[in-house]
Amino acid sequence: MVHDVDGFRPLQFERFDEERMLARARAFEAELGRRRSVRHFEREAVPLEVIDRCIAAAASAPSGAHKQPWTFVVVTDPLVKARLREAAEAEERANYAGRMNPTWIEDLRPLGTDANKPFLEDAPVLIVVMRQAWGIGADGERLQHYYTSESVGIAVGFLLAALHHAGLATLTHTPSPMGFLQRLLGRPENERPYLLIPVGYPARDCLVPDLVRKELDEVRVRI
Ligand code: IYR
């Protein structure tokens, strides 16, 4: 009896008949399919309670040995955003001026990106997701963490889905290298910047690249 073991409790699981399952799967696919990365944001504020609920949903993700090796830094201070923008743009100018090879530059052409990152100031919220390479115990000792990249990646997937579901637009931004985030945010040495996510309402005239997604047959093999 698995549920009579110390430290275990019954699972709360909702089972649906097959018709309902398929309808739910299709509806979720359609909703996630409408998500697009947005690079032009309204400067309008968003409810921070919504951000908190989405972060709580993200933090329900599975993680290696349940160590929950993540920190979500919510930046709204215009001064901090301005500093982040300045530092990110300095790195990106070097990237676009030669640190990225010609193939990379060519691959980015359909996205229309360049070294200018106004969304870092326009978006009302920047969520900087930190990966905890190790934990810090009550006495300051190092605690082992496991599969931190996989764990944080899954949590970020949850976060992007939750924010989209709540009606907010997001961008997955990886300014590179990200060392300046560590410095400007004053985070402890066990935390490594993983991803920067601008969050807000899309600009009224926002355009997104006319991208085509791979067909199911291209991404799924049945064996
Ligand atoms: N970090 C740069 C370049 C960039 C790289 C990839 I891969 C993208 O999908 C998009 C951009 C920038 O932010 O412009």
Side-chain angles (χ1 to χ4, degrees), residues 140-183:
E141 75 277 23
R142 275 191 190 204
L143 306 175
Q144 232 178 180
H145 281 176
Y146 311 91
Y147 297 102
T148 56
S149 297
E150 292 84 348
S151 303
V152 179
I154 295 165
V156 164
F158 279 28
L159 180 60
L160 296 173
L163 290 163
H164 172 68
H165 185 66
L168 290 169
T170 52
L171 174 65
T172 50
H173 182 46
T174 51
S176 170
M178 294 206 270
F180 68 90
L181 287 170
Q182 187 94 356
R183 191 164 36 79

Side-chain angles (χ1 to χ4, degrees), residues 29-37 210-216 218-219:
E29 174 197 351
E31 181 172 3
L32 276 192
R34 284 189 292 271
R35 184 197 166 274
R36 293 297 310 265
S37 287
D210 193 10
L211 303 179
V212 177
R213 290 182 173 130
K214 290 181 180 174
E215 295 294 334
L216 178 62
E218 295 176 83
V219 300

Side-chain angles (χ1 to χ4, degrees), residues 39-40 43 85 89 114-123:
R39 290 187 170 78
H40 310 280
R43 282 174 158 261
R85 176 182 181 181
E89 287 182 338
D114 59 27
N116 296 313
K117 305 297 171 193
F119 51 75
L120 292 175
E121 283 190 277
D122 291 341

Side-chain angles (χ1 to χ4, degrees), residues 61-178:
S63 60
H66 192 53
K67 295 297 183 182
Q68 307 169 83
W70 41 61
T71 307
F72 300 87
V73 183
V74 178
V75 180
T76 54
D77 183 337
L79 205 72
V80 177
K81 289 197 291 174
R83 289 204 190 107
L84 289 175
R85 176 182 181 181
E86 195 181 355
E89 287 182 338
E91 294 291 0
E92 295 297 359
R93 279 194 292 274
N95 289 337
Y96 282 88
R99 272 204 304 226
M100 294 188 289
N101 67 24
T103 304
W104 192 344
I105 299 280
E106 185 59 27
D107 279 342
L108 291 181
R109 223 219 297 261
L111 305 184
T113 59
D114 59 27
N116 296 313
K117 305 297 171 193
F119 51 75
L120 292 175
E121 283 190 277
D122 291 341
V125 174
L126 307 176
I127 302 177
V128 184
V129 184
M130 308 295 289
R131 176 180 72 86
Q132 297 176 1
W134 65 86
I136 298 176
D139 300 319
E141 75 277 23
R142 275 191 190 204
L143 306 175
Q144 232 178 180
H145 281 176
Y146 311 91
Y147 297 102
T148 56
S149 297
E150 292 84 348
S151 303
V152 179
I154 295 165
V156 164
F158 279 28
L159 180 60
L160 296 173
L163 290 163
H164 172 68
H165 185 66
L168 290 169
T170 52
L171 174 65
T172 50
H173 182 46
T174 51
S176 170
M178 294 206 270

